[in-house]
């Protein structure tokens, strides 16, 4: 949600769509990556416990997939969506 909102804010400021998506991705990359890294490191702690090993594998793989979706798939899909409906349709409600 924050990534899409950052894109919309950049579009409202007059940035081109491509630049807005890239700039929003750069701004949000560090917080997203650090959060994912903290969860993966926390998951490694319980990976050694035989009882919670399945939970750790699910946690770590879920975080890795969700991070990839957040950093790659969501911006690409949103870029395609905005390109289809137009920038004015997306940022027009802010004015």
């Amino acid at each position: 949600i924050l990534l899409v909102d950052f894109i919309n804010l950049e579009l409202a400021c007059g940035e081109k769509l491509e630049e807005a998506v890239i700039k929003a991705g750069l701004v949000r990359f560090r917080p997203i990556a650090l959060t994912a890294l903290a969860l993966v490191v926390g998951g490694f702690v319980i990976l050694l416990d035989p009882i919670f090993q399945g939970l750790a594998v699910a946690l770590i793989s879920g975080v890795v997939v969700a991070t990839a979706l957040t950093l790659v798939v969501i911006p690409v899909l949103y870029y395609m969506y905005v390109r289809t409906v137009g920038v004015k349709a997306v940022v027009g409600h802010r004015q």
Side-chain angles (χ1 to χ4, degrees):
I1 293 174
L2 288 174
L3 186 63
V4 170
D5 192 44
F6 270 71
I7 295 170
N8 288 344
L9 288 173
E10 291 295 325
L11 290 173
C13 291
E15 280 297 327
K16 293 182 181 179
L17 177 60
E18 294 84 7
E19 293 176 16
V21 171
I22 291 170
K23 193 181 285 188
L26 289 174
V27 168
R28 295 300 306 160
F29 176 78
R30 182 178 287 163
I32 292 168
L34 287 176
T35 302
L37 181 65
L39 285 168
V40 168
V41 169
F44 276 124
V45 173
I46 60 174
L47 189 62
L48 303 174
D49 187 356
I51 295 174
F52 293 110
Q53 193 172 29
L55 176 65
V57 170
L59 174 74
I60 293 170
S61 60
V63 167
V64 169
V65 170
T67 303
L69 286 173
T70 302
L71 292 175
V72 178
V73 176
I74 298 298
V76 169
L77 289 176
Y78 195 67
Y79 170 81
M80 291 171 26
Y81 168 74
V82 173
R83 216 169 119 199
T84 302
V85 300
V87 174
K88 291 184 180 182
V90 174
V91 295
H93 70 279
R94 289 185 177 268
Q95 298 172 348

